[in-house]
């Protein structure tokens, strides 16, 4: 059964905690990204944990192996449940991240950013890239060899990555929209049911919940739809 994490893409820690209070029991996972984390620091993560929530720290680390290992160890000490690294950090960085995690903390890899298309990714790797999904698969294999717990991917990639990564891998899918939600700046979206059926483990939803008049009702609806997969 797929779980749902709400992305706390709001202006301040105060707004974030007010949203978490409004949503109440409907959601147990919250994603903290770099904007709010830089503003509020680890205290906001501690506040969420004190309210019994699971924290997904989405800082997408990409640095030398010892620095990433240190960040992973610090995240484990903080008590977060999930954190992200860039797969393009390479095998030694990914192995260092996998080694530094402790029970209770999963590390998932980000491959090609969904904001990049083939031509732009091609400028990074200095060769023509026609099919970004093949690059994504190549990077996922690096993550698997290094022992990561899973991957961030579009719901449309989840079924294929599930084949490659196996049944225990965590597949974390942003870009979730119900019928009738605007796509915002997401290029490829999927409904909660489509993502769950494609094998996603954790669905990440931001604006459809954070911008809703009744965020609790929307969160509950998304959870129920995801559970149907
Ligand atoms: O508001 P929305 O539902 O589009 O939010 C999706 C969240 O997932 C945002 O926090 C965004 O940064 C994050 N994300 C994404 N695509 C990725 C990785 C993360 O949209 N490939």
């Amino acid at each position: 059964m797929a779980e749902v994490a709400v992305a706390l893409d709001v202006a301040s820690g105060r707004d974030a905690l007010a949203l978490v209070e409004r949503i109440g029991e409907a959601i147990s996972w919250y994603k903290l990204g770099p904007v709010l984390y830089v503003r509020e620091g680890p205290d906001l993560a501690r506040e969420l944990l004190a309210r019994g929530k699971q924290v997904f720290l989405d800082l997408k680390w990409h640095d030398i192996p010892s620095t990433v290992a240190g960040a992973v160890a610090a995240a484990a000490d903080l008590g977060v449940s999930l954190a992200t690294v860039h797969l393009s950090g390479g095998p030694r960085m990914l192995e260092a991240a996998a080694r530094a995690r402790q029970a209770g903390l999963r590390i998932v890899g980000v491959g090609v950013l969904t904001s990049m298309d083939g031509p732009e990714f091609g400028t990074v790797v200095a060769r023509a890239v026609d099919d970004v999904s093949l690059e994504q698969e190549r990077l996922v294999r690096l993550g698997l060899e290094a022992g990561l717990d899973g991957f961030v991917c579009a719901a449309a990639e989840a079924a294929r990555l599930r084949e490659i990564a196996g049944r225990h891998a965590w597949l974390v899918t942003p870009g979730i929209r119900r019928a009738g939600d605007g796509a915002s700046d997401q290029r490829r979206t999927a409904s909660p049911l489509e993502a769950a059926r494609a094998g996603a483990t954790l669905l990440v939803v931001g604006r459809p919940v954070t911008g809703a008049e009744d965020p609790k009702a929307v969160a509950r609806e998304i959870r129920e739809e995801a559970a149907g997969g």
Side-chain angles (χ1 to χ4, degrees), residues 71-87:
V72 169
D77 290 345
L78 184 57
V80 309
S81 302
L82 193 65
T84 43
V85 293
H86 268 288
L87 295 168

Side-chain angles (χ1 to χ4, degrees), residues 28-80:
S28 55
W29 277 89
Y30 285 94
K31 183 173 90 74
L32 266 183
V35 180
L36 204 53
Y37 194 77
V38 168
R39 279 197 200 289
E40 305 290 344
D43 280 350
L44 179 57
R46 291 190 187 100
E47 283 287 342
L48 293 168
L49 293 166
R51 287 165 161 75
K53 303 303 180 188
Q54 307 231 60
V55 176
F56 170 14
L57 189 60
D58 186 21
L59 300 181
K60 298 187 179 68
W61 291 310
H62 184 164
D63 211 315
I64 59 172
S66 61
T67 300
V68 171
V72 169
D77 290 345
L78 184 57
V80 309

